[in-house]
Amino acid sequence: ALRDNEATTACLVNRLYAYASGETLAARDPWVEYLETSFAADGFRVTALLKRIATSKRFYSITPPTALEQTIETAAHFAVAE
């Protein structure tokens, strides 16, 4: 059953974080491990997981754009300006 599969917790945590933040995380990122452990400790309650994600400092931190993102943003700006 799905609930007995250990990968279910990791998958759900990653998908909810990606949906909430717009970014994906590395599989063994310490933040992911913390969220997985907390999710289990909270009795696998999705609302508790979402609250933990939404109130975290990491959720509100800004990361600089990658070179590709900057290129796309610049191209989009000039495309609109014409």
Side-chain angles (χ1 to χ4, degrees):
L2 188 59
R3 68 174 178 248
D4 297 327
N5 188 335
E6 292 178 15
T8 301
T9 298
C11 181
L12 185 60
V13 166
N14 275 299
R15 292 292 138 233
L16 285 176
Y17 185 82
Y19 180 76
S21 70
E23 70 174 359
T24 56
L25 298 169
R28 294 293 33 129
D29 184 311
W31 175 240
V32 173
E33 292 178 4
Y34 166 74
L35 289 174
E36 289 173 11
T37 302
S38 299
F39 183 49
D42 290 336
F44 301 100
R45 291 180 309 147
V46 173
T47 53
L49 174 61
L50 289 172
K51 182 177 180 180
R52 188 176 307 278
I53 291 169
T55 59
S56 69
K57 288 183 181 181
R58 184 163 179 168
F59 183 73
Y60 288 97
S61 68
I62 299 172
T63 57
T66 65
L68 176 60
E69 290 170 334
Q70 288 177 334
T71 302
I72 291 169
E73 184 176 317
T74 301
H77 172 74
F78 287 115
V80 173
E82 293 179 8

